């Protein structure tokens, strides 16, 4: 059953990349809304988890308001997928004009310094579109990591898709990824990491919307070891076809403390920047998994 399910999932993603990108854009948008609304009405585990997560982000929201947010959240999530399926067929002009970001000078100035730059993002908006904008508009390649998915063919699809957008993709598992990221940064390169959910269970505990969560230590450690600039980025959608974004102020390395203490301070600063963007645009935070330690402990027994 597991193998059959994996083959089905792989086939569905394959159909998305081969079929959705050929649809007229208005049709693709309507299809995304239809799928999102159907999933939301079913009230499955992912939708309920999204709603539970949003309840922490907007603690004073009424049950009706939470349902509205989760419905908008599913539409935003399907917009991400529809855009991602279609991105490889977008023209360079469409990519350049499909994203508008505030304070882009923080990134361009950092790249000009040749010290290396780390962009750290939460699961907000469409991080693949932001990456394609970097490789197209700024003509700057970058390196990222990807979680290994099952089946392996699905993982290969994601790697090929992101490489087609100009990214260098490393597998999340294995010790070699960190060393490669550090070398890219020491050479003055750019590294982009989605960093609001720890996949290793050895991340840093942070306060996030009033409770304890765990986020990856990698961005902070890389900044300490390489001297690279660490910049938080948040993304969101509005009613237009253009995605919006903001580069936040750099996360500085503390002057005193052990490496673990510095990492804790820097990761908390990242979490605070992420929280600012998520609180402003909660419907665009695509967190359909457990995140807070209390929720993870609840599942463990």
């Amino acid at each position: 059953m597991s193998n059959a399910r994996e083959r089905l999932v792989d086939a569905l993603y394959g159909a998305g990349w081969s079929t959705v990108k050929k649809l007229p854009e208005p049709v693709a948008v309507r299809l995304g809304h239809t799928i999102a609304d159907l999933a939301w009405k079913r009230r499955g585990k992912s939708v309920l988890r999204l709603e539970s997560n949003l309840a922490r982000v907007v603690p004073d929201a009424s049950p009706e308001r939470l349902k509205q947010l989760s419905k908008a959240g599913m539409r935003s999530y399907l917009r991400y997928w529809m855009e991602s399926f279609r991105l490889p067929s977008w023209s360079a002009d469409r990519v350049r004009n499909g994203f508008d970001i505030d304070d882009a000078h923080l990134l361009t100035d950092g790249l000009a310094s040749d010290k290396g730059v780390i962009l750290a993002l939460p699961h907000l908006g469409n991080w693949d579109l932001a990456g394609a904008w970097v490789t197209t508009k700024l003509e700057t390649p970058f390196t990222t990591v990807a979680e290994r998915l099952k089946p392996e063919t699905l993982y290969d699809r994601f790697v090929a898709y992101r490489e087609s957008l100009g990214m260098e993709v490393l597998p999340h598992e294995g010790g070699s990824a960190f060393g490669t990221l550090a070398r890219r940064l020491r050479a003055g390169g750019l590294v982009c990491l989605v960093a609001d959910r720890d996949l290793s269970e050895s991340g840093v505990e942070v306060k996030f919307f009033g409770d304890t969560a765990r986020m990856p230590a990698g961005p902070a450690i890389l900044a300490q070891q390489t001297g690279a600039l660490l910049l938080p980025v948040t993304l969101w959608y509005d009613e237009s076809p253009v995605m919006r974004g903001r580069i936040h102020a750099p996360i500085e390395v503390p002057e005193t403390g052990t490496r673990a203490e510095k990492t804790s301070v820097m990761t908390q600063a990242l979490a605070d920047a992420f929280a600012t963007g998520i609180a402003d645009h909660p419907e665009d935070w695509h967190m359909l998994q457990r995140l807070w330690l209390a929720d993870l402990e609840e599942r463990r027994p």
Side-chain angles (χ1 to χ4, degrees):
M1 286 295 291
S2 177
N3 289 337
R5 183 178 183 278
E6 289 177 2
R7 288 195 298 271
L8 175 60
V9 169
D10 181 47
L12 289 172
Y13 278 104
W17 267 299
S18 64
T19 304
V20 172
K21 67 181 180 182
K22 299 176 184 177
L23 296 175
E25 186 156 345
V27 176
V29 171
R30 288 197 299 271
L31 177 62
H33 285 176
T34 299
I35 296 172
D37 292 349
L38 286 173
W40 180 79
K41 287 177 181 177
R42 286 185 60 195
R43 311 288 294 163
K45 289 182 179 180
S46 295
V47 172
L48 294 177
R49 177 51 51 191
L50 174 63
E51 217 162 89
S52 175
N53 290 339
L54 289 172
R56 292 179 182 270
V57 175
V58 192
D60 58 345
S62 66
E64 185 58 34
R65 172 62 177 150
L66 280 177
K67 286 185 178 180
Q68 292 173 353
L69 277 175
S70 66
K71 184 176 183 178
M74 291 305 294
R75 284 195 168 197
S76 175
Y77 186 50
L78 263 294
R79 175 173 173 174
Y80 159 75
W81 278 113
M82 290 297 160
E83 286 181 347
S84 296
F85 288 143
R86 296 169 60 80
L87 260 177
S89 65
W90 281 19
S91 68
D93 281 345
R94 176 68 192 278
V95 173
R96 283 191 287 264
N97 296 323
F99 180 43
D100 183 35
I101 189 164
D102 297 333
D103 297 321
H105 70 278
L106 294 171
L107 171 57
T108 54
D109 290 350
L111 292 171
S113 72
D114 290 329
K115 293 182 179 180
V117 176
I118 306 160
L119 296 180
L121 306 88
H123 287 79
L124 267 174
N126 188 338
W127 45 96
D128 288 328
L129 172 54
W133 181 87
V134 168
T135 60
T136 305
K137 174 79 171 181
L138 303 185
E139 298 182 342
T140 301
F142 66 88
T143 305
T144 188
V145 297
E147 180 184 2
R148 277 205 175 275
L149 303 171
K150 290 184 178 181
E152 191 74 16
T153 51
L154 180 57
Y155 172 77
D156 293 340
R157 286 186 192 275
F158 273 95
V159 170
Y161 155 64
R162 289 186 170 129
E163 288 179 343
S164 75
L165 302 177
M167 311 176 193
E168 178 188 23
V169 183
L170 308 175
H172 181 270
E173 296 175 356
S176 63
F178 188 90
T180 302
L181 295 175
R183 287 193 296 274
R184 300 291 183 267
L185 291 168
R186 291 191 180 103
L190 176 64
V191 164
C192 299
L193 301 170
V194 180
D196 58 343
R197 178 170 171 256
D198 179 55
L199 297 175
S200 67
E201 295 192 359
S202 60
V204 178
E205 291 190 4
V206 295
K207 286 297 180 183
F208 196 55
F209 291 104
D211 209 344
T212 304
R214 189 183 291 118
M215 294 187 180
I221 295 175
L222 282 167
Q224 291 175 63
Q225 291 193 358
T226 67
L229 187 68
L230 176 55
L231 296 173
V233 181
T234 53
L235 312 171
W236 66 92
Y237 291 124
D238 57 19
E239 297 303 317
S240 77
V242 178
M243 185 175 71
R244 311 293 176 182
R246 174 190 172 195
I247 299 179
H248 296 251
I251 304 296
E252 303 290 346
V253 178
E255 295 183 0
T256 60
T258 64
R259 188 176 80 165
E261 289 169 342
K262 292 178 180 179
T263 300
S264 178
V265 170
M266 295 172 72
T267 307
Q268 182 63 62
L270 269 182
D272 293 343
F274 293 166
T276 298
I278 293 167
D280 288 342
H281 306 280
E283 68 278 5
D284 291 321
W285 188 39
H286 306 151
M287 185 55 65
L288 280 68
Q289 300 86 17
R290 296 172 189 263
L291 179 71
W292 282 270
L293 297 192
D295 295 335
L296 293 169
E297 290 295 334
E298 179 183 296
R299 180 181 62 179
R300 198 158 284 146

